[in-house]
Amino acid sequence: MTALITDDGIVTRWPAKAADRVLVLDFLAARFEPGRDYAEKEVNDILKRHHSFGDWALLRRELIESGRFRRDPGVGRYWLPQAS
């Protein structure tokens, strides 16, 4: 795929360039089903399977802060918004 994402679908590092971060976040967001609710553990498990540098919390936070993912902290629910 790229130097950041292996052919096996593993993100190898968190990129410094904003354009590369967009690529990585879009790739990771595509690992989730739109509209489906996920528990935090499920989100972490999916992210763990798709990166090799051991910081799934960073990836989860970046997905949320970029608006690609939503969360309800009161109940620990996460979801990928439906495409409009």
Side-chain angles (χ1 to χ4, degrees):
M1 283 188 115
T2 72
L4 294 170
I5 304 169
T6 69
D7 290 338
D8 294 333
I10 305 298
V11 177
T12 59
R13 64 181 171 83
W14 183 242
K17 292 182 181 178
D20 290 340
R21 287 193 300 268
V22 167
L23 176 76
V24 167
L25 290 172
D26 287 347
F27 168 79
L28 291 172
R31 309 301 111 200
F32 297 89
E33 295 176 42
R36 179 177 167 224
D37 287 351
Y38 293 88
E40 185 171 311
K41 181 179 179 350
E42 289 178 285
V43 173
N44 292 344
D45 289 345
I46 290 167
L47 293 174
K48 285 176 187 178
R49 285 195 305 265
H50 292 286
H51 84 289
S52 64
F53 54 92
D55 198 348
W56 61 91
L58 166 75
L59 299 174
R60 187 183 64 233
R61 185 173 52 252
E62 291 291 334
L63 284 166
I64 292 165
E65 289 178 3
S66 71
R68 288 170 178 79
F69 222 65
R70 304 277 193 275
R71 96 180 166 113
D72 181 344
V75 294
R77 179 178 80 109
Y78 294 77
W79 68 97
L80 188 71
Q82 299 276 358
S84 9

